């Protein structure tokens, strides 16, 4: 584990659970796991941004097979409407620069369009409104060759957008429907056979090399460049859960964090592994999540991320992050009172006490496992030493008041019980002097 600004280098390690991925594409493959995260996190991002993220996550030679295995089954599944719209756009975007007729997924998109249109029309005849009307419209735009018009909008926006009467599903038809209907069965056989699907993909690839793009793009160069940056930033943010980013990668990601957290791409479950591998990035993330516009936040606001901070293990990255947050005077608006507060106040009042309590429990459990022979490393001893150093640094920074019973009682008991460690003994004397 890397050293920190506040503590010496330590070999202590922590076991942090990774988030659970959708079962249908969780195969232990990190690329598929990242795509799974993309599919369940990117509803509020522009479709073009999510599609570019997919293209950066997956190597060109693997995209078709992964789309065939992981994306296509979701097209007609019972997943959320926004996810089906996102899958539809990604399947389209893989071949977006070229005519829709060359897209090997066209027949599957068309079959879904016909099926959902028929269902929506039946609901309409009964006086109702199918929840999949927007999916039908999106598929209609894609099959017409106007899929780029959808790119700037997020799947969640599209699912909520009202449709004009003339754009209701029962009124949407394609000029080539008869020819598509005649080839539909054959196309499904091709898409269902891996070897033939690869041949179809190669045919599309060779056509890709010979075609010139003449279609008018509806996304400006500036928007396209920004979407590409966001897609790259999303890839780095997902990678930050599994490894330490290089300095260059951190410089690329840091300015993009406000855009990737408003609305947030990650969940509270992603925060602990990011803290473990990239505490500097985690600090920027937490700061952006706490200061983001409430309208762009997740349903429960920042509370889920605050809860995640309380449960962080007592490791050097966790201590570094909290020290920085406890000194941050960035102004926040209190969601309850509407008054002004600061990041430091929020972390002090809502996080610090519970974090100390959970850290002590974590160390007590490590001590018990060590005594029972379940672990043979020095995580307990290092943890005690580093927690005491962390608390001593809070005293030096005047974050903790040594004269306050509420602030110090639990730590006094902890340091007294572990007084055999020099750091605990020293801290106990400081706390005892403050109280007595």
């Amino acid at each position: 584990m890397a050293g920190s600004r506040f503590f010496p280098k330590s070999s202590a390690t922590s076991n942090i659970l990774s988030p659970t991925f959708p079962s249908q594409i969780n195969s232990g493959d990190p690329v598929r796991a990242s795509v799974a995260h993309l599919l369940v996190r990117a509803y509020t991002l522009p479709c073009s941004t999510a599609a570019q993220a997919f293209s950066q996550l997956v190597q060109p030679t693997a995209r078709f097979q992964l789309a065939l295995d992981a994306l296509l089954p979701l097209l007609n599944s019972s997943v959320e409407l926004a996810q089906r719209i996102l899958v539809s756009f990604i399947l389209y975007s893989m071949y977006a620069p070229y005519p829709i007729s060359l897209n090997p997924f066209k027949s599957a998109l068309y079959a879904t369009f016909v099926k959902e249109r028929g269902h929506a029309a039946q609901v309409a005849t009964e006086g109702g409104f199918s929840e999949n009307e927007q999916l039908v419209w999106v598929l209609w735009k894609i099959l017409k060759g106007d899929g780029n018009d959808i790119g700037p909008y997020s799947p969640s926006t599209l699912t909520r957008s009202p449709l004009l009467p003339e754009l209701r599903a029962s009124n949407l038809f394609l000029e080539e429907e008869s020819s598509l209907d005649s080839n539909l069965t054959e196309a499904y056989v091709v898409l269902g056979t891996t070897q033939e699907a690869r041949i179809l993909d190669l045919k599309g690839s060779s056509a890709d090399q010979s075609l010139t793009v003449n279609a008018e793009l509806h996304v400006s160069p500036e928007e396209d460049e920004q979407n590409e940056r966001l897609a790259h930033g999303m890839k780095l943010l997902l990678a930050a859960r599994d490894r330490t980013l290089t300095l260059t990668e951190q410089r690329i990601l840091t300015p993009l964090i406000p855009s990737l957290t408003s609305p947030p791409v990650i969940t509270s479950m992603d925060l602990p592994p990011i803290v473990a591998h990239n505490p500097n990035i985690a600090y920027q993330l937490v700061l952006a999540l706490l200061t983001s516009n409430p309208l762009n936040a997740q349903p429960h606001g920042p509370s889920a991320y605050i809860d995640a901070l309380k449960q962080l293990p007592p490791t050097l990255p966790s201590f570094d992050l909290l020290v920085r947050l406890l000194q941050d005077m960035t102004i926040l608006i209190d969601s309850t009172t509407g008054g002004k507060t600061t990041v430091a106040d929020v972390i002090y009042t809502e996080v610090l006490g519970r974090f100390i309590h959970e850290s002590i429990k974590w160390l007590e459990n490590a001590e018990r496992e060590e005594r029972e022979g379940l672990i043979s490393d020095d995580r307990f001893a290092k943890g005690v030493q580093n927690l005491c150093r962390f608390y001593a640094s809070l005293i030096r920074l005047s974050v903790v008041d040594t004269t306050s019973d509420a602030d110090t009682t639990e730590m006094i008991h902890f340091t007294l019980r572990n007084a055999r460690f020099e750091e605990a003994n020293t801290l106990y004397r400081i706390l005892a002097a403050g109280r007595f």
Side-chain angles (χ1 to χ4, degrees):
M1 183 179 296
S4 72
R5 301 190 312 272
F6 300 100
F7 310 101
K9 186 174 181 181
S10 168
S11 61
T13 58
S14 61
N15 295 323
I16 299 176
L17 294 177
S18 298
T20 301
F21 305 120
S23 58
Q24 67 270 29
I25 51 178
N26 179 18
S27 64
D29 183 341
V31 174
R32 293 192 176 219
S34 295
V35 170
H37 267 277
L38 175 68
L39 293 178
V40 298
R41 306 278 195 266
Y43 297 163
T44 53
L45 295 176
C47 287
S48 57
T49 300
Q52 287 175 351
F54 173 84
S55 66
Q56 291 201 23
L57 288 170
V58 187
Q59 292 296 320
T61 54
R63 287 174 195 162
F64 182 84
Q65 191 61 50
L66 192 147
L68 191 69
D69 296 340
L71 302 187
L72 194 59
L74 298 178
L75 190 60
N76 281 298
S77 68
S78 58
V79 297
E80 294 182 15
L81 179 62
Q83 189 171 2
R84 295 178 70 189
I85 288 177
L86 178 58
V87 166
S88 300
F89 187 84
I90 292 176
L91 292 175
Y92 153 76
S93 70
M94 291 171 63
Y95 301 87
Y98 310 107
I100 187 65
S101 59
L102 292 176
N103 191 315
F105 297 107
K106 179 182 178 181
S107 294
L109 293 168
Y110 174 73
T112 303
F113 166 72
V114 172
K115 174 185 174 183
E116 296 296 342
R117 182 183 62 182
H119 175 71
Q122 179 63 36
V123 173
T125 59
E126 299 171 358
F129 189 92
S130 172
E131 62 179 10
N132 292 338
E133 288 265 5
Q134 284 82 359
L135 174 62
V136 176
W137 178 79
V138 166
L139 291 169
W140 178 70
K141 291 286 286 184
I142 288 173
L143 292 166
K144 281 182 59 186
D146 296 333
N148 281 322
D149 293 348
I150 301 166
Y153 304 98
S154 69
S156 61
T157 297
L158 293 169
T159 60
R160 298 192 303 265
S161 300
L163 294 172
L164 296 173
E166 58 267 26
L167 296 179
R168 292 284 300 274
S170 56
N171 297 322
L172 302 180
F173 294 92
L174 299 166
E175 294 181 0
E176 69 275 25
E177 284 198 27
S178 58
S179 61
L180 282 169
D181 286 335
S182 63
N183 294 327
L184 189 58
T185 303
E186 179 183 355
Y188 266 128
V189 171
V190 172
L191 287 173
T193 307
T194 302
Q195 184 177 0
E196 292 182 358
R198 287 176 176 165
I199 294 173
L200 183 58
D201 187 39
L202 291 175
K203 289 169 63 180
S205 299
S206 62
D208 289 352
Q209 298 171 2
S210 62
L211 285 173
T212 302
V213 180
N214 294 318
E216 179 184 357
L217 297 180
H218 298 276
V219 180
S220 69
E222 294 78 11
E223 291 174 332
D224 189 61
E225 184 179 353
Q226 176 63 11
N227 286 339
E228 185 173 356
R229 285 197 298 268
L230 286 175
H232 186 47
M234 185 187 299
K235 178 183 178 182
L236 292 176
L237 190 55
L238 292 173
R241 297 169 297 133
D242 304 313
R243 63 176 176 84
T244 301
L245 300 183
T246 66
L247 290 177
T248 300
E249 290 173 329
Q250 291 184 43
R251 292 191 189 102
I252 294 172
L253 176 58
T254 298
L256 297 174
I257 285 176
S259 298
L260 295 172
T261 54
S262 184
V265 175
I266 64 167
T267 68
S268 58
M269 296 177 65
D270 298 313
L271 194 55
I274 293 177
V275 173
H277 293 291
N278 297 276
N280 290 333
I281 294 298
Y283 169 69
Q284 299 293 337
L285 274 175
V286 173
L287 193 60
L289 290 165
L290 292 178
T291 58
S292 63
N293 187 332
L295 295 177
N296 292 329
Q298 288 190 340
H300 302 293
S303 61
Y305 300 99
I306 290 176
D307 288 342
L309 293 176
K310 300 173 186 177
Q311 304 292 333
L312 290 176
T315 58
L316 296 182
S318 303
F319 297 144
D320 275 353
L321 173 62
L322 287 188
V323 167
R324 295 183 67 179
L325 292 172
L326 286 165
Q327 297 180 88
D328 196 304
M329 293 295 117
T330 302
I331 300 297
L332 301 178
I333 302 299
D334 191 305
S335 58
T336 303
T337 65
K340 292 184 178 180
T341 183
T342 65
V343 170
D345 286 340
V346 169
I347 300 301
Y348 176 77
T349 57
E350 298 189 31
V351 176
L352 183 58
R354 181 63 180 275
F355 172 76
I356 295 293
H357 176 75
E358 294 298 330
S359 294
I360 291 174
K361 285 178 57 179
W362 190 96
L363 291 169
E364 289 173 346
N365 184 61
E367 182 183 24
R368 183 175 61 255
E369 291 182 344
E370 182 181 287
R371 190 166 53 245
E372 295 172 354
L374 299 177
I375 57 175
S376 57
D377 56 27
D378 59 353
R379 71 182 67 176
F380 169 67
K382 290 294 185 182
V384 171
Q385 293 166 356
N386 289 330
L387 179 58
C388 291
R389 291 170 183 166
F390 165 70
Y391 204 86
S393 71
L394 298 184
I395 295 174
R396 289 194 301 271
L397 295 168
S398 299
V399 173
V400 172
D401 180 5
T402 57
T403 64
S404 168
D405 289 347
D407 279 3
T408 62
T409 297
E410 191 167 24
M411 278 303 291
I412 285 178
H413 288 291
F414 174 76
T415 53
L416 183 60
R417 189 167 61 251
N418 295 284
R420 65 186 183 277
F421 296 102
E422 180 181 350
E423 291 81 2
N425 195 359
T426 300
L427 180 58
Y428 173 76
R429 291 197 301 269
I430 294 174
L431 295 173
R435 294 185 65 177
F436 308 110

